[in-house]
């Protein structure tokens, strides 16, 4: 018994240790997924290609582990990388996949962030769509009472960017002041740098070029300190526009050369296209038409308005296709679910039939058992009566025997007394004859008489033993 108990304890301990090892292994793997997509997000403004690369690895590992939140966040971060690379269709595909996954696991903060990301896609091409997604993000953030200041700052950042493009500079400045406060609270230096850049854009639009250059330069210094290549390239592009508006071709070319170098580091098609367009503008202002033509040939054939329109349409079409694909997947899931439901219904029907049959068999068995129990009860009652009767008989016999034993004992004492008298006489005669006090003949006659008396008593005792009624027994 002790050995069995010891084996059971050892088995339970082994299972517990094994389960703990598996749990720790899974936790370590999910931690690796989180490390991968966090690193991917951190380098988005430095090297967007690396963002896509690390997010791909995170996504693959998360799918293997069935780590749903990891899958959703990996899609979102990879979409951010595609956005900075200028691959809008790839970005919207990843964002929509991320949004679906976050909805499945009811991650509200994830849904808010994806809506912000999608709004960024439409920021330069469709203000209405951009505002629609920002409102979705803000409404969800407020309705679920979320408390992440950096996420709220991102919402206001995109609102501010839209206000700039709509020439609503007062609202834009109000948004950026709120963002700067939230970013400071969250210690988000990247966002503070973006605020400086966007404020530079506001003052440029307002005609305060000196102030605009000041904000751009402050933003550029901070972006370089933080190794944010994407932001440095964007800021240099904005500075080039300011210098070109002042016909300051030297400084314009200087920042264009620097910014173009940073844009090649981040490998953004969108930024490269903007740099080509700005260089075309620079060479045109210089009246260097041959060089301007060279840059023009490297720009897309469509003008920016047509390109933006087509991009917005393309994204909308892609969203429709994605939604249709999701509907098809949902239909397929419903079809599979219906098949499973049919199989389940058949199995349940079989189980019900088996249960009904089992219930009937149990009812019949119970009925038979009830009958047997009744018969056993009757037999038990009969046995009880018989036992009771036997006990009464035994009691009567015992009492009778006790009475007879008592009478027999009394009679035995009586007979013993009756026999002892003649025997005592015989002993006395023998002593008298030995001493010569009685004659031999007289002694013999008296002894014969005693013997006959003893014989009569013995015969009488035997007769009484064989005839109890005579003895009163």
């Amino acid at each position: 018994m002790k050995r069995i108990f010891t084996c059971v304890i050892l088995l339970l301990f082994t299972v517990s240790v094994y389960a703990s090892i598996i749990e720790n292994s899974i936790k370590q793997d999910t931690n690796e997924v989180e490390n991968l997509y966090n690193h991917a997000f951190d380098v988005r403004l430095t090297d967007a290609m690396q963002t896509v690369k690390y997010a791909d690895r995170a996504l693959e590992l998360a799918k293997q582990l069935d780590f749903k939140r990891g899958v959703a966040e990996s899609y979102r971060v990879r979409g951010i990388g595609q956005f900075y690379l200028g691959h809008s269709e790839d970005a919207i595909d990843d964002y929509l996949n991320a949004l679906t996954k976050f909805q499945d696991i009811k991650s509200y903060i994830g849904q808010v962030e994806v809506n912000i990301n999608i709004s960024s896609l439409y920021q330069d091409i469709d203000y209405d769509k951009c505002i629609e997604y920002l409102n979705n993000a803000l409404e969800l953030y407020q309705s679920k009472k979320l408390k992440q200041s950096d996420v709220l700052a991102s919402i206001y950042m995109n609102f501010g960017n839209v206000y700039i493009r709509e020439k609503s500079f007062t609202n834009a400045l109000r948004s950026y002041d709120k963002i700067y406060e939230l970013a400071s609270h969250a210690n988000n230096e990247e966002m503070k740098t973006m605020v400086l850049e966007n404020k530079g854009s506001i003052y440029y639009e307002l005609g305060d070029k000196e102030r605009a250059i000041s904000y751009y330069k402050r933003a550029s210094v901070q972006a370089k300190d933080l190794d944010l290549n994407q932001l440095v390239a964007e800021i240099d592009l904005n500075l080039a526009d300011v210098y070109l508006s002042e016909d300051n071709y030297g400084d314009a070319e200087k920042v264009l050369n620097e910014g173009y170098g940073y844009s090649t580091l981040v490998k953004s098609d969108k930024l490269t296209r903007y740099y080509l367009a700005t260089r075309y503008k620079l060479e045109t202002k210089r009246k260097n038409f041959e060089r301007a033509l060279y840059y023009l040939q490297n720009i897309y054939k469509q003008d920016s308005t047509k390109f933006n329109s087509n991009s917005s349409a393309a994204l909308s079409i892609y969203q429709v296709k994605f939604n249709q694909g999701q509907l098809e997947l949902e239909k397929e899931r419903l079809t599979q679910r219906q098949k499973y439901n049919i199989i389940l219904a058949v199995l349940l029907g079989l189980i019900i039939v088996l249960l009904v049959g089992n219930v009937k068999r149990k009812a019949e068995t119970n009925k038979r058992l009830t009958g047997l129990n009744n018969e056993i009860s009757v037999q038990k009652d009969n046995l009880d009566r018989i036992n009771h009767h036997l006990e009464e008989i035994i009691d009567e016999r015992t009492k009778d025997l006790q009475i007879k034993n008592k009478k027999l004992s009394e009679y035995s004492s009586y007979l013993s007394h009756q026999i002892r008298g003649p025997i005592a006489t015989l002993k006395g005669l023998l002593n008298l004859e030995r001493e010569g006090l009685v004659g031999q003949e007289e002694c013999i006659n008296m002894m014969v008489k005693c013997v006959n008396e003893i014989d009569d008593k013995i015969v009488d005792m035997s007769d009484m033993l064989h005839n109890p009624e005579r003895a009163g027994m």
Side-chain angles (χ1 to χ4, degrees):
M1 185 67 184
K2 287 183 178 179
R3 289 182 179 179
I4 295 173
F5 181 74
T6 303
C7 290
V8 170
I9 293 296
L10 286 173
L11 180 62
L12 290 173
F13 178 75
T14 304
V15 170
S16 175
V17 170
Y18 180 73
S20 177
I21 291 170
I22 294 296
E23 183 180 355
N24 288 335
S25 176
I26 292 173
K27 187 175 181 180
Q28 288 175 356
D29 288 337
T30 56
N31 286 341
E32 185 178 352
V33 172
E34 291 174 352
N35 289 336
L36 283 169
Y37 65 61
N38 284 334
H39 181 69
F41 182 79
D42 289 340
V43 299
R44 71 196 185 285
L45 297 174
T46 303
D47 189 343
M49 286 288 285
Q50 289 297 312
T51 295
V52 173
K53 178 181 174 182
Y54 281 106
D56 276 334
R57 286 169 55 189
L59 181 60
E60 182 180 357
L61 183 56
K63 285 180 177 179
Q64 290 174 6
L65 298 171
D66 194 26
F67 179 26
K68 292 181 172 58
R69 185 173 63 82
V71 170
E73 186 62 14
S74 297
Y75 270 125
R76 188 183 80 86
V77 173
R78 190 173 71 176
I80 292 172
Q82 298 290 9
F83 166 72
Y84 282 117
L85 289 172
H87 304 159
S88 298
E89 288 192 1
D90 291 331
I92 193 69
D93 180 57
D94 283 332
Y95 288 153
L96 293 175
N97 274 306
L99 186 60
T100 302
K101 302 298 180 185
F102 280 128
Q103 287 170 344
D104 289 342
I105 62 174
K106 293 181 173 54
S107 171
Y108 301 116
I109 196 68
Q111 294 175 53
V112 169
E113 289 180 324
V114 175
N115 274 284
I116 296 170
N117 297 141
I118 296 176
S119 75
S120 297
L121 273 176
Y122 286 102
Q123 196 166 262
D124 292 324
I125 55 179
D126 192 331
Y127 297 158
D128 291 337
K129 277 281 187 182
C130 179
I131 293 294
E132 177 187 336
Y133 280 102
L134 284 175
N135 284 332
N136 290 342
L138 185 59
E139 182 181 351
L140 187 59
Y141 185 93
Q142 292 174 340
S143 65
K144 300 302 177 183
K145 298 179 179 179
L146 303 177
K147 301 292 183 182
Q148 285 192 226
S149 55
D150 55 338
V151 174
L152 184 60
S154 296
I155 295 173
Y156 286 123
M157 176 71 77
N158 280 13
F159 270 121
N161 295 343
V162 173
Y163 290 143
I164 290 177
R165 287 156 179 80
E166 290 182 333
K167 310 297 183 183
S168 181
F169 302 123
T170 302
N171 288 332
L173 284 171
R174 190 180 297 119
S175 293
Y176 290 138
D177 288 339
K178 190 177 295 184
I179 294 162
Y180 200 86
E181 181 182 347
L182 290 169
S184 298
H185 180 71
N187 294 320
N188 192 329
E189 296 299 322
E190 291 179 5
M191 193 162 289
K192 288 164 71 174
T193 304
M194 292 178 187
V195 169
L196 292 174
E197 177 193 2
N198 291 331
K199 279 192 171 184
S201 298
I202 290 174
Y203 288 113
Y204 174 56
E205 293 289 340
L206 290 172
D208 190 344
K209 296 177 184 179
E210 184 178 347
R211 204 168 183 181
I213 291 171
S214 173
Y215 272 106
Y216 282 142
K217 286 185 175 181
R218 284 174 58 194
S220 180
V221 170
Q222 287 188 200
K224 289 173 183 176
D225 289 341
L226 295 170
D227 198 24
L228 305 178
N229 299 334
Q230 176 84 23
L231 283 184
V232 175
E234 290 176 0
I235 294 165
D236 282 345
L237 195 63
N238 291 327
L239 273 171
D241 281 335
V242 178
Y243 290 138
L244 283 175
S245 69
E246 295 178 333
D247 295 330
N248 184 351
Y249 304 140
D251 285 340
E253 184 171 19
K254 182 180 177 181
V255 294
L256 280 175
N257 288 334
E258 180 187 72
Y260 185 74
Y262 279 101
S263 72
T264 56
L265 287 176
V266 298
K267 301 178 181 63
S268 171
D269 296 339
K270 182 179 177 181
L271 273 176
T272 301
R273 187 167 56 251
Y274 285 156
Y275 267 97
L276 289 172
T278 307
R279 280 196 173 276
Y280 166 74
K281 190 190 298 184
L282 171 62
E283 299 303 334
T284 301
K285 277 183 167 283
R286 283 175 165 175
K287 302 189 182 303
N288 189 351
F289 299 117
E290 183 178 353
R291 193 65 181 166
L293 182 61
Y294 167 78
Y295 288 119
L296 187 61
Q297 288 172 343
N298 286 281
I299 300 173
Y300 288 105
K301 294 180 181 179
Q302 298 91 347
D303 61 26
S304 60
T305 304
K306 184 177 179 182
F307 173 80
N308 288 341
S309 175
N310 288 339
S311 294
S312 178
L315 289 179
S316 298
I317 291 169
Y318 196 87
Q319 281 185 284
V320 171
K321 287 181 179 179
F322 181 87
N323 292 334
Q324 287 176 343
Q326 290 297 311
L327 288 173
E328 290 297 325
L329 286 174
E330 188 61 29
K331 285 180 182 178
E332 189 175 335
R333 289 194 198 100
L334 286 173
T335 302
Q336 291 293 330
R337 197 173 297 141
Q338 287 173 351
K339 289 179 181 178
Y340 292 141
N341 288 340
I342 291 169
I343 294 170
L344 184 61
V346 171
L347 290 173
L348 286 174
L350 291 172
I351 291 170
I352 290 169
V353 170
L354 291 172
L355 287 173
V356 170
N358 190 39
V359 168
K360 288 181 178 179
R361 284 194 299 273
K362 282 187 176 179
E364 292 174 359
T365 304
N366 289 336
K367 186 176 179 182
R368 287 198 297 269
L369 288 172
T370 302
L372 290 172
N373 285 334
N374 291 336
E375 289 179 10
I376 291 170
S377 297
V378 171
Q379 292 177 2
K380 184 177 180 298
D381 291 340
N382 292 334
L383 285 172
D384 289 342
R385 284 195 296 271
I386 291 169
N387 287 333
H388 184 66
H389 183 61
L390 288 173
E391 287 175 358
E392 289 178 346
I393 292 172
I394 290 169
D395 287 341
E396 290 177 1
R397 294 288 175 88
T398 301
K399 290 178 182 177
D400 186 51
L401 285 172
Q402 288 173 347
I403 293 170
K404 286 181 178 180
N405 285 336
K406 184 179 179 182
K407 288 182 177 181
L408 184 61
S409 177
E410 290 174 355
Y411 187 64
S412 174
S413 298
Y414 168 74
L415 289 178
S416 174
H417 179 72
Q418 293 296 320
I419 292 172
R420 284 173 66 91
I423 290 174
T425 301
L426 282 173
K427 286 182 177 181
L429 287 172
L430 286 173
N431 290 328
L432 288 173
E433 192 277 330
R434 190 180 297 120
E435 293 177 1
L437 296 176
V438 178
Q440 187 175 12
E441 184 178 353
E442 184 182 0
C443 182
I444 289 170
N445 289 334
M446 290 179 70
M447 288 177 69
V448 169
K449 184 179 178 182
C450 286
V451 169
N452 289 335
E453 187 178 352
I454 289 170
D455 183 57
D456 289 340
K457 295 292 184 183
I458 291 171
V459 171
D460 191 34
M461 184 186 293
S462 176
D463 185 41
M464 288 182 71
L465 287 171
H466 287 89
N467 187 7
E469 292 180 359
R470 184 181 167 195
M473 298 171 66

